[in-house]
Amino acid sequence: MSRKAKNILFIMFDQLRYDYLGCAGHPTLETPHLDALAAKGVRFSHCYVQSPICGASRMSFYTGRYVHSHGAAWNNFPLKVGEVTLGDHLRARGMDSWLIGKTHMSVDHEGMDRLGISRDGIIGARVAECGFDVFLRDDGLWGEGPKGFYDKKRSPYNEYLKGQGYEAENPWQHNANAGVDEDGNVASGWFMRHADKAANIREEDSETPWLTSQAMEFIKTQDAKGAGPWMCHLSYIKPHWPYIVPAPYHDMYGANQVLPVVRSEAELQDTHPVYEQFMQNEIGQTFSKPGVREKVIPAYMGLIKQADDQMGRLFKWLEETGHMNDTMIVVTSDHGDYLGDHWLGEKDLFHDPSVRVPLIVYDPSEQAEATRGTVCDALVESIDLAATFVDLAGGDVPDHVLEGRSLLPYLYGQTPDKWREFAVSEYDYSATPEAAALDLDPKQARLFMLANKEWKFVFADGDFRPLLFDLKNDPDELNDLGADPDYAEVVGMFMDRLSEWARRPSQRTTVSSEYLEGKRTGSSSSVGIFIGVYDERDLPSEVVEKTITYK
């Protein structure tokens, strides 16, 4: 019997760099289980997210549309109630769409109220959850301060931990993401000096194993009901900060295994004003201090190693239950993490550590046999996954709505007739202190990246010059050529491409190109509308009969 993927397991890690996998070439961090998945599938080496910021990037994953199109351009910017999501597309093709973990989605309450959509009904619940049916949602940011919790929703993870006997009022903050110092006090993972301590939690109760167990429970539930096909979005909380991990992972790696930092003193000279502001923020300054990377990165590596071990646990279980034979498995990340590279922390700009992410796709179908274990170097965007899933579920990909392209041809060993010439990422930083420091109007605090294999170009709105990197001769992106007149022609080429991209009809989502082409050949005279006709005798009698006669 031929194998065919009927289900989709869409796995996303948060803040996982593309180069922190063994199969991507990391020399000291072994990820054998993800490597094994790559050996059975295709690893895409040039996948770019559509924004380096969590919420905006994820909304592009879930809508299959650029940030410029869906408008949820920063964390906690609501996704417009009218945006069609991955869940909507898949349900229309007979595939359920479920969430386990985080989405970082903010609800368009005003839009729902305007349209009278109740949050208690199935439709309202899906609109409020980015189109997913929710098996379990936990965005994993349960920070708490004098004004209360950062996230105002209930915390399923905190409820789980309390059920396991953890006594803290907020065990996410005081156990899962904190250690214990030599005096027995809480050593919070929020403060990076504690990154080398073991989180004060049993390893099996930490966030990554907990979500893995939830995914297995979901699949068991679906099997028991005989339900399917399904798409399960297993969205992990880690290796996102706080940078702290339970034993035995907390001391698995040492400072001697931290890769050399990628930055140069030249980056501090004549720095682009926007870049300079992000260098000067607190996390950029902290990661630039001696010893910080050596303290933090071993914990980050430990979080990834734990994640890989949990992938091994999950994949073994999928083998035992037969689901490796009927489930497409996708592993990716919503963005990366600078970790001190380029004098930056977090992710805010467009160097590769921030916007280039891992992407592994395993398809059990016989059509994918020829590409197993291969690496595809095509320019891929995160929005391509939505198109891929819709293509797999059946029917045409609605390219007037979905702006990505299906990756199935690459999985099946085919070369598409035409592929993109550049990848796009965007950043609206209008709500940041950096925009305030630059005295920018919110409409101007925007960055657009266009990248191909040779160049990376960044347009900075607000009358700033662009940034430009020669990726062939400067793959580490250390030398900004944006102000060099010798490269004016390259800058001009990318300005033309940006202009062309910005003019695409991205809001014309209610009619397809096929519909519009069909209208060209249609005739309004067949329904009694005659525009510009002088003499009715010029038309066939059956066309004008109802116009000039009556009963």
Side-chain angles (χ1 to χ4, degrees), residues 174 178-188 194 197 200:
H174 296 120
V180 178
D181 69 13
E182 56 275 9
D183 297 321
N185 300 315
V186 172
S188 174
H194 298 307
K197 295 179 173 65
N200 187 26

Side-chain angles (χ1 to χ4, degrees), residues 4 12 22 50 110 148 155 177 196 202 208 212 237 253 282 336 343 367 370 402 423 471 496 526 536 541 543:
K4 180 172 175 58
M12 183 183 292
Q50 270 47 81
E110 183 177 328
S155 168
N177 288 283
D196 59 345
R202 293 183 294 271
T208 302
T212 304
I237 293 164
Y253 300 95
E282 185 167 13
W343 309 96
Q367 300 100 301
L402 294 174
L471 299 181
D496 289 344
S526 63
E536 69 273 21
S541 59
V543 171

Side-chain angles (χ1 to χ4, degrees), residues 27 97 141-142 154 158 163 177 179 202 236 239 257 340 354 357 363 379 381 395 412 417 445 453 525 531 539:
S97 180
L141 280 176
W142 303 109
R154 60 178 280 264
N158 265 340
N177 288 283
R202 293 183 294 271
Y236 284 101
Q257 293 166 294
S354 178
V357 295
D363 186 338
L379 286 170
E381 296 178 332
Y412 297 163
D417 292 336
K453 301 287 186 62
S525 64
I531 299 174
L539 299 174

Side-chain angles (χ1 to χ4, degrees), residues 47 250 483 550:
C47 179
H250 72 293
Y550 65 90

Side-chain angles (χ1 to χ4, degrees), residues 90-254:
L90 293 181
R91 279 189 206 94
R93 290 158 177 80
M95 179 178 281
D96 293 332
S97 180
W98 289 87
L99 169 69
I100 299 169
K102 73 186 300 180
T103 62
H104 230 299
M105 184 259 190
S106 184
V107 184
D108 181 6
H109 290 293
E110 183 177 328
M112 293 184 72
D113 291 342
R114 185 179 71 253
L115 297 174
I117 300 174
S118 169
R119 291 147 183 81
D120 296 329
I122 292 176
I123 294 174
R126 287 171 175 167
V127 169
E129 293 291 354
C130 212
F132 294 106
D133 289 322
V134 175
F135 188 79
L136 179 143
R137 179 176 175 182
D138 196 302
D139 281 1
L141 280 176
W142 303 109
E144 185 180 12
K147 292 187 178 180
F149 280 91
Y150 169 82
D151 196 328
K152 308 301 182 186
K153 299 184 291 295
R154 60 178 280 264
S155 168
Y157 183 55
N158 265 340
E159 293 169 6
Y160 165 79
L161 291 180
K162 290 176 182 179
Q164 295 300 107
Y166 295 90
E167 296 179 354
E169 185 177 344
N170 183 355
W172 177 89
Q173 181 155 282
H174 296 120
N175 293 96
N177 288 283
V180 178
D181 69 13
E182 56 275 9
D183 297 321
N185 300 315
V186 172
S188 174
W190 285 119
F191 309 110
M192 289 188 279
R193 71 186 183 95
H194 298 307
D196 59 345
K197 295 179 173 65
N200 187 26
I201 191 170
R202 293 183 294 271
E203 191 273 330
E204 62 268 23
D205 291 333
S206 58
E207 290 158 287
T208 302
W210 173 67
L211 284 171
T212 304
S213 297
Q214 292 294 323
M216 293 160 66
E217 189 60 35
F218 163 77
I219 297 173
K220 289 177 188 175
T221 302
Q222 296 299 102
D223 288 348
K225 295 190 300 185
W230 45 259
M231 189 279 289
C232 172
H233 179 35
L234 172 55
S235 184
Y236 284 101
I237 293 164
K238 295 296 186 181
H240 192 281
W241 43 255
Y243 304 104
I244 194 166
V245 62
Y249 297 98
H250 72 293
D251 61 359
M252 219 173 253
Y253 300 95

